[in-house]
């Protein structure tokens, strides 16, 4: 186990709703990255937070937003859910936002109906 | 543009066979990092190796070995004497020097080891 935890494990929402996913980073890690993994595909980078500031963003619309708290835990918020948002959402923590190893959590499986 | 290609979608071998997973990458940066991750059915990505672009030495860790060749932009992964527990999806990934925050993943290779 990596020490990175995510909640909830599974979630079912309907189109148009909003969702918040949570991640607790490994002890001592100040950087959290979020990824979306659709079925049968590799993870795609959503964004990264470093010391409570966004530090890089992938090709995702503004309805995907995030927060990082002083204890370095993080939230991913998705507004106006669409069917294509159904995926496994992975959180990864690292010591610094460099090329250090990223430790992944078990993920949150989101289903949008 | 950066890209990681894993042309093998699925591989199935019998236990104890050797198997090589291919990875080809594209990047314009001279400084970059390459990774391999394992994703078992539980879903959690497990880090296997990180290699920077200035270190072309091959690496061996137990039954695992990695062959990095800049000339062909490849970073292949070999499992020797495969075991059923090696069954998983394996991802090759790239992180560029200009964008330290982002890891670009390939589409993965599903490896099945049959007893």
């Amino acid at each position: 186990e990596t020490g990175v935890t995510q909640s909830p494990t599974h979630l079912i929402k309907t189109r148009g709703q909003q969702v918040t996913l949570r991640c607790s980073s490994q002890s001592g890690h100040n950087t959290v990255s979020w990824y979306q993994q659709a079925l049968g595909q590799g993870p795609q980078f959503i964004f990264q937070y470093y010391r409570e500031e966004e530090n890089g963003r992938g090709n995702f619309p503004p309805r995907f937003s995030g927060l990082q708290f002083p204890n370095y835990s993080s939230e991913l918020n998705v507004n106006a859910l669409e069917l294509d948002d159904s995926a496994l959402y992975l959180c990864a923590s690292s010591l610094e936002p460099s090329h250090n190893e990223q430790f992944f959590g078990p993920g949150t499986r989101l289903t949008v109906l | 543009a950066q890209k990681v290609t894993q042309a093998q979608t699925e591989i199935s071998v019998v236990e104890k066979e050797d198997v090589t997973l291919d990875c080809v990458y594209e990047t314009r940066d001279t400084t970059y990092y390459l990774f391999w991750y394992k994703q078992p059915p539980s879903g959690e990505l497990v880090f296997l190796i990180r290699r920077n672009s200035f270190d072309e030495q091959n690496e061996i860790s137990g039954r695992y070995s990695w062959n990095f060749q800049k000339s062909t932009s490849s970073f292949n992964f070999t499992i020797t004497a495969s075991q059923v527990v090696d069954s998983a999806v394996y991802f090759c990934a790239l992180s560029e020097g200009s964008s330290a925050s982002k890891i670009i993943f390939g589409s993965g290779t599903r490896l099945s080891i049959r007893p």
Side-chain angles (χ1 to χ4, degrees):
Chain A
E1 290 189 9
T2 62
V4 178
T5 60
Q6 292 185 245
S7 62
T9 307
H10 295 88
L11 202 51
I12 299 175
K13 291 286 189 177
T14 55
R15 206 167 35 176
Q17 285 189 311
Q18 177 266 343
V19 69
T20 297
L21 310 182
R22 295 178 175 81
C23 171
S24 291
S25 59
Q26 188 172 103
S27 178
H29 287 189
N30 59 22
T31 303
V32 173
S33 303
W34 286 92
Y35 294 83
Q36 180 195 67
Q37 186 178 17
L39 201 60
Q41 297 182 23
Q44 290 198 39
F45 175 74
I46 303 175
F47 44 57
Q48 182 184 80
Y49 277 82
Y50 169 58
R51 294 187 176 177
E52 303 177 59
E53 297 285 332
E54 187 177 288
N55 181 54
R57 188 179 181 92
N59 190 25
F60 280 80
R63 59 189 186 84
F64 285 78
S65 63
L67 277 175
Q68 187 178 33
F69 300 98
N71 66 354
Y72 302 132
S73 66
S74 176
E75 284 182 356
L76 163 65
N77 298 290
V78 187
N79 293 324
L81 284 167
E82 300 176 0
L83 297 179
D84 285 349
D85 295 333
S86 296
L88 179 68
Y89 287 85
L90 294 163
C91 160
S93 76
S94 53
L95 278 171
E96 294 287 337
S98 62
H99 303 276
N100 284 329
E101 174 187 348
Q102 293 190 2
F103 294 83
F104 284 81
T108 293
R109 172 76 59 189
L110 172 65
T111 302
V112 182
L113 302 177
Chain B
Q2 64 273 33
K3 187 179 178 182
V4 176
T5 301
Q6 295 180 255
Q8 303 152 308
T9 307
E10 291 192 39
I11 299 175
S12 180
V13 300
V14 176
E15 199 173 18
K16 297 184 184 176
E17 285 186 13
D18 298 347
V19 59
T20 295
L21 309 182
D22 298 333
C23 173
V24 174
Y25 62 92
E26 294 176 31
T27 178
R28 292 180 182 171
D29 278 18
T30 54
T31 302
Y32 53 89
Y33 287 74
L34 296 165
F35 305 80
W36 275 95
Y37 281 87
K38 174 182 179 180
Q39 189 174 41
S42 61
E44 191 166 330
L45 280 165
V46 177
F47 169 85
L48 296 178
I49 190 172
R50 179 187 65 193
R51 173 66 84 228
N52 75 55
S53 53
F54 300 107
D55 181 5
E56 285 193 74
Q57 224 176 9
N58 291 330
E59 181 158 337
I60 298 175
S61 175
R63 297 183 297 105
Y64 296 169
S65 63
W66 290 270
N67 183 1
F68 177 27
Q69 292 197 344
K70 287 178 77 170
S71 60
T72 56
S73 297
S74 65
F75 186 44
N76 296 337
F77 172 34
T78 297
I79 302 175
T80 304
S82 60
Q83 300 176 2
V84 172
V85 293
D86 295 327
S87 297
V89 180
Y90 290 85
F91 292 98
C92 179
L94 164 72
S95 176
E96 294 179 319
S98 59
S99 177
S101 59
K102 180 166 63 173
I103 295 181
I104 306 296
F105 285 83
S107 56
T109 297
R110 181 176 299 279
L111 177 62
S112 298
I113 310 296
R114 308 188 306 274

